[in-house]
Amino acid sequence: MSSSGTAAVPCDLVTVPARQGFEAVDILRRAAVRAVGPVLHDGTCDTLGFLVPPGTADAWNLPGSACTQTFGQGMRVPAEPPVRGTRWLLPPGEVDEVTDPELLRRALGEAARLIEAADSRY
């Protein structure tokens, strides 16, 4: 544990458009199993970043999202947001260590379908 009480867990970062990310967070938080880890929100409200296990980028291929590869090193979950101009939407220590990439993939797909359905009504 770090001095802030947050475990130093290696991770990669999946970034998605904010609207889809917020929907996915809601979906993951409503799941029967705690499924969402720390989530970053950028200052311009354009994207959300989900911390996922290291190595996720090797197999991540989801249109409309990106996964930052850390070449097996993984960044450590810090107490303060690791990217300038971001803040924690869901801070470390209040949620699971990292988000399960398969559950995230499903939640992002469901979020995209919900957004498409909502947008097609108008």
Side-chain angles (χ1 to χ4, degrees):
M1 292 280 198
S2 71
S3 60
S4 68
T6 301
V9 178
C11 57
D12 285 355
L13 181 69
V14 172
T15 54
V16 298
R19 186 175 178 200
Q20 184 180 14
F22 284 123
E23 288 288 343
V25 166
D26 287 344
I27 292 164
L28 290 167
R29 291 188 90 180
R30 286 191 313 258
V33 179
R34 283 185 63 144
V36 66
V39 178
L40 287 168
H41 186 264
D42 70 356
T44 60
C45 300
D46 291 332
T47 61
L48 290 187
F50 293 83
L51 300 183
V52 294
T56 298
D58 294 336
W60 191 263
N61 183 16
L62 186 66
S65 68
C67 188
T68 304
Q69 186 171 22
T70 59
F71 303 102
Q73 300 302 312
M75 66 180 195
R76 300 277 176 187
V77 178
E80 295 299 317
V83 180
R84 178 181 227 125
T86 65
R87 61 187 179 276
W88 291 113
L89 176 67
L90 298 175
E94 291 183 16
V95 291
D96 290 345
E97 291 180 353
V98 294
T99 300
D100 179 284
E102 197 51 44
L103 294 176
L104 178 58
R105 184 183 307 276
R106 284 188 230 142
L108 289 170
E110 184 177 341
R113 289 186 296 277
L114 289 170
I115 290 167
E116 183 179 341
D119 288 352
S120 69
R121 297 183 73 194
Y122 298 101

